[in-house]
């Protein structure tokens, strides 16, 4: 039987607010343990939570960007469970009435658009961070993260492959970054994902039993975990066994998923509306203000780049993958307004450099101004395309402007006929055998001569003139 996989994702994104969701403690990462705490986020008796308006605003931005319906009067609920990282004994979340529902985003797979439904987006608070060490007879807890705002974005089971799941996640991450509401860092845990996966006979309308995969902290691992799990489920069915509804943990060392808990052990969270918090009322005026202030989003920007700059959708997709990279591209164009070479240099040399150094474009050693200046030097014929590569490497090392480097290292292109003629003559004199062969019809040797001349001029000779002079001399 041919099976089809079905995937739905639950993503937790940490919001970049300055303060926590229900108190004024700082959310700054990396402070000494338990220094960003107060009676509210420590769950002391007799205190009251106060909702951070910025959290609602950020969630609304995401809701609007994902075409969700906004719930006019949503509610906070208590999700009750006992765990040492949860000082109150319950997590404040949203349950029956989340802030946003029924949205979608579009992903692209091999040039084809596919729409993925967003079931809901709700706000909740993060828990503390436990540290365990086999050498200790105790565990440590840091409550700095307790009460840091999160949004949970739940998708419909609309994805049909690991590839689609990764594309969806990347699109979602790009969106939260464009909106400036989350830094989207999977490795550091500010963007986390649980993956639900099942299989069913191809074409079936009935979904199979799903398992939920946890502990996945990179795009690579999402893909690996899903592929492993889809295969495990196929083998299970092939062996005439049944898939059980359970939570499984991804083990990145062993590259496999392991059963963590079954449905019977699943928590009963005894959700109920939090009596300490009023219903949250969002009016149209607020929603409209947020809509009006929304930045240009990745999809729109990509389409505009294709249209306005005649780029391929592929290149436009790369250039708009982050807002910073798109700005870099457009800043280059302000100085050197030719989109094709600018795009080629950014997607080639620049991204190669940034990937190698593991740096975001905001920390690029080569500024947009300097890259554009380099392209100008090529365009004006001051340097050759080949020398430009050397200049670029030097720019990356020193951060200097291309003009300075070209001057310092004497890299200006040689376009002087008499200088090139002298080098050509000297090269031909030293290669009598090759000259003879060329004259007897081995015209391919022209490339050999060009190479020699370029070598002698340190790559600085204007290749057009070199070709012209060589032909004149060889054919006379
Ligand atoms: P829970 O609270 O048990 O995690 P939710 O309803 O919050 O349940 O989340 C369910 C997630 O699982 C959603 O993203 C949904 O799309 C996905 N899902 C539901 N049924 C299936 C299925 N049969 N196969 C794959 N994913 C599924
Ligand atoms: Mg779940
Ligand atoms: Zn606090």
């Amino acid at each position: 039987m041919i099976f089809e996989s079905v995937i739905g994702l639950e993503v937790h994104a940490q919001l970049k607010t300055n303060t926590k969701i229900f108190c004024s403690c700082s959310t700054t990462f990396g402070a000494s343990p338990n220094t960003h705490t107060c009676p509210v986020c420590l769950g002391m008796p007799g205190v009251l939570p106060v909702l951070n308006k910025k959290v609602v605003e950020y969630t609304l931005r995401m809701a609007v960007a994902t075409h969700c319906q906004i719930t006019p009067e949503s509610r906070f609920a208590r999700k009750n469970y006992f765990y040492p990282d949860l000082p109150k004994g319950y997590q404040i979340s949203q349950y029956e009435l989340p802030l946003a529902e029924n949205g979608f985003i579009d992903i692209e797979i091999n040039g084809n658009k596919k729409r993925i439904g967003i079931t809901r987006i709700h706000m909740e608070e993060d828990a503390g961070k436990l540290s365990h060490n086999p050498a200790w007879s105790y565990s440590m807890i840091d409550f700095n993260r307790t009460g840091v705002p999160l949004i949970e974005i739940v998708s419909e089971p609309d994805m049909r492959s690991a590839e689609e799941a990764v594309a969806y996640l990347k699109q979602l991450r790009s969106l939260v970054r464009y909106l400036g509401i989350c830094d989207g860092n999977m490795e550091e845990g500010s963007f986390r994902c649980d993956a639900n996966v099942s299989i069913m006979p191809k074409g079936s309308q009935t979904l199979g039993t799903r398992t939920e995969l946890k502990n996945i902290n990179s795009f690579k691992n999402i893909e690996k975990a899903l592929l492993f799990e889809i295969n495990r489920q196929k083998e299970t069915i092939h062996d005439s066994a049944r898939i059980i509804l359970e939570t499984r943990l991804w083990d990145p060392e062993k590259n496999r998923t392991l059963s963590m808990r079954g449905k019977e052990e699943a928590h009963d969270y005894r959700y109920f509306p939090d009596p300490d918090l009023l219903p949250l009322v969002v009016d149209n005026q607020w929603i409209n203000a947020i809509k009006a202030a929304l930045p240009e989003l990745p999809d729109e920007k990509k389409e505009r780049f294709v249209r306005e700059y005649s780029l391929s959708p592929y290149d436009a997709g790369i250039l708009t993958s982050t807002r910073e990279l798109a700005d870099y591209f457009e800043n280059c164009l302000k100085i050197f307004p030719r989109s094709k070479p600018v795009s080629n240099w950014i997607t080639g040399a620049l991204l190669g450099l940034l990937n190698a150094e593991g740096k975001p474009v905001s920390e690029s050693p080569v500024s947009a101004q300097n890259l554009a200046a380099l392209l100008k030097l090529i365009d004006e014929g001051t340097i050759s395309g080949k020398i430009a590569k050397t200049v670029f490497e030097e720019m990356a090392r020193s951060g200097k402007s291309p003009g300075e480097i070209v001057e310092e290292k004497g890299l200006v292109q040689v376009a002087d006929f008499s200088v090139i003629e002298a080098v050509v003559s000297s090269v031909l004199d030293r290669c009598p055998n090759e000259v003879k062969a060329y004259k007897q019809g081995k015209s391919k040797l022209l490339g050999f001569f060009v190479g020699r001349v370029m070598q002698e001029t340190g790559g600085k000779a204007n290749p057009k003139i070199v070709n012209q002079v060589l032909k004149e001399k060889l054919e006379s």
Side-chain angles (χ1 to χ4, degrees):
M1 198 177 329
I2 299 175
F3 284 101
E4 190 167 35
S5 48
V6 174
I7 300 161
L9 301 179
E10 294 162 84
V11 171
H12 284 95
Q14 219 173 62
L15 298 180
K16 285 202 303 191
T17 53
N18 295 326
T19 57
K20 295 186 179 181
I21 182 168
F22 298 119
C23 62
S24 55
C25 289
S26 164
T27 55
T28 312
F29 186 78
S32 289
N34 299 307
T35 52
H36 294 169
T37 55
C38 73
V40 173
C41 56
L42 288 175
M44 299 294 176
V47 296
L48 284 174
V50 177
L51 179 59
N52 181 344
K53 190 171 180 185
K54 205 84 192 172
V55 171
V56 184
E57 185 188 320
Y58 281 10
T59 313
L60 286 173
R61 268 192 218 171
M62 187 62 177
V64 168
T66 53
H67 319 277
C68 281
Q69 288 159 1
I70 314 283
T71 312
E73 205 179 300
S74 69
R75 270 193 183 70
F76 285 96
R78 291 187 179 181
K79 177 177 179 179
N80 300 281
Y81 63 93
F82 177 76
Y83 208 63
D85 63 3
L86 192 70
K88 293 195 298 294
Y90 60 87
Q91 177 196 29
I92 304 179
S93 181
Q94 292 195 295
Y95 186 57
E96 277 151 317
L97 288 168
L99 183 55
E101 286 178 295
N102 297 325
F104 65 85
I105 64 170
D106 290 332
I107 60 168
E108 206 174 290
I109 295 286
N110 304 322
N112 298 318
K113 272 218 169 112
K114 178 165 178 179
R115 186 153 287 185
I116 308 293
I118 305 272
T119 316
R120 56 187 276 153
I121 301 178
H122 71 247
M123 298 168 278
E124 59 186 33
E125 55 179 348
D126 209 345
K129 193 170 166 44
L130 285 165
S131 309
H132 313 285
N133 183 326
W136 304 339
S137 58
Y138 49 84
S139 290
M140 305 257 259
I141 173 89
D142 179 5
F143 288 120
N144 284 351
R145 205 179 62 186
T146 312
V148 166
L150 302 175
I151 50 173
E152 178 169 344
I153 306 146
V154 182
S155 86
E156 289 291 300
D158 284 348
M159 287 152 275
R160 289 292 173 272
S161 65
E163 192 191 6
E164 287 185 10
V166 170
Y168 165 81
L169 267 186
K170 288 199 167 155
Q171 181 74 3
L172 211 58
R173 185 178 68 161
S174 164
L175 207 50
V176 295
R177 286 181 167 170
Y178 263 73
L179 294 169
I181 62 171
C182 166
D183 64 25
N185 195 324
M186 272 190 114
E187 281 78 7
E188 284 175 12
S190 51
F191 190 81
R192 321 195 271 265
C193 167
D194 297 340
N196 296 272
V197 56
S198 64
I199 59 172
M200 62 182 183
K202 204 169 169 63
S204 164
Q205 298 296 314
T206 323
L207 297 186
T209 303
R210 72 184 154 113
T211 57
E212 182 178 6
L213 313 182
K214 286 191 179 284
N215 193 35
I216 322 180
N217 61 358
S218 71
F219 287 115
K220 199 73 231 142
N221 278 327
I222 277 280
E223 188 166 13
K224 283 204 254 174
L226 284 170
L227 291 175
F228 174 89
E229 182 61 15
I230 291 165
N231 203 41
R232 188 193 68 84
Q233 293 189 6
K234 282 182 187 164
E235 281 173 1
T236 305
I237 289 187
H238 185 259
D239 294 342
S240 307
R242 280 178 43 190
I243 310 288
I244 39 177
L245 180 60
E246 62 180 355
T247 302
R248 298 178 66 88
L249 216 55
W250 168 246
D251 181 342
E253 251 102 68
K254 298 208 176 76
N255 276 323
R256 53 169 308 160
T257 63
L258 289 166
S259 179
M260 184 173 132
R261 60 167 180 257
K263 179 85 178 140
E264 313 79 58
E265 301 143 74
H267 300 286
D268 172 3
Y269 292 117
R270 296 174 290 118
Y271 280 99
F272 64 88
D274 192 316
D276 287 345
L277 287 154
L278 292 168
L280 172 64
V281 177
V282 173
D283 59 18
N284 280 329
Q285 206 184 338
W286 196 7
I287 299 170
N288 290 337
I290 281 169
K291 274 187 186 154
L294 228 48
E296 185 180 34
L297 296 177
D299 285 349
E300 299 166 54
K301 210 186 261 295
K302 181 178 166 188
E303 273 165 35
R304 180 169 66 81
F305 276 24
V306 169
R307 202 174 56 236
E308 202 167 302
Y309 304 125
S310 315
L311 298 175
S312 70
Y314 180 78
D315 287 340
I318 295 177
L319 292 173
T320 55
S321 59
T322 67
R323 215 161 134 180
E324 290 75 18
L325 192 63
D327 288 347
Y328 187 103
F329 171 74
E330 293 199 292
N331 284 336
C332 282
L333 287 183
K334 280 184 201 147
I335 302 168
F336 184 74
R338 282 178 44 210
S339 56
K340 284 272 160 56
V342 171
S343 163
N344 288 342
W345 274 83
I346 291 180
T347 55
L350 184 79
L351 287 182
L353 168 75
L354 295 176
N355 283 340
E357 298 197 355
K359 281 186 182 157
V361 68
S362 55
E363 288 165 31
S364 172
V366 178
S367 67
Q369 288 70 23
N370 281 348
L371 181 62
L374 178 70
L375 300 192
K376 232 175 169 173
L377 290 178
I378 305 171
D379 198 51
E380 291 161 351
T382 310
I383 56 170
S384 65
K386 193 157 172 249
I387 288 290
K389 297 238 156 65
T390 316
V391 177
F392 182 84
E393 281 163 22
E394 186 56 32
M395 285 158 74
R397 252 194 307 276
S398 65
K400 285 185 184 162
S401 78
E404 270 177 285
I405 293 167
V406 166
E407 195 160 312
E408 264 175 31
K409 309 221 158 191
L411 295 173
V412 173
Q413 174 160 271
V414 178
D416 185 329
F417 255 88
S418 58
V419 174
I420 292 178
E421 257 179 339
V423 180
V424 167
S425 296
S426 128
V427 165
L428 295 183
D429 284 349
R430 275 176 289 141
C431 305
N433 294 338
E434 285 83 358
V435 172
K436 204 166 143 201
Y438 181 90
K439 291 194 167 163
Q440 282 166 355
K442 252 190 126 177
S443 54
K444 271 194 197 146
L445 278 168
L446 186 68
F448 162 80
F449 296 121
V450 172
R452 275 303 185 78
V453 174
M454 293 311 267
Q455 207 176 0
E456 303 237 330
T457 56
K460 288 184 287 181
N462 178 316
K464 228 163 114 187
I465 302 178
V466 171
N467 268 285
Q468 190 186 336
V469 172
L470 268 171
K471 276 193 189 149
E472 272 167 22
K473 292 220 183 268
L474 285 166
E475 272 145 40
S476 64

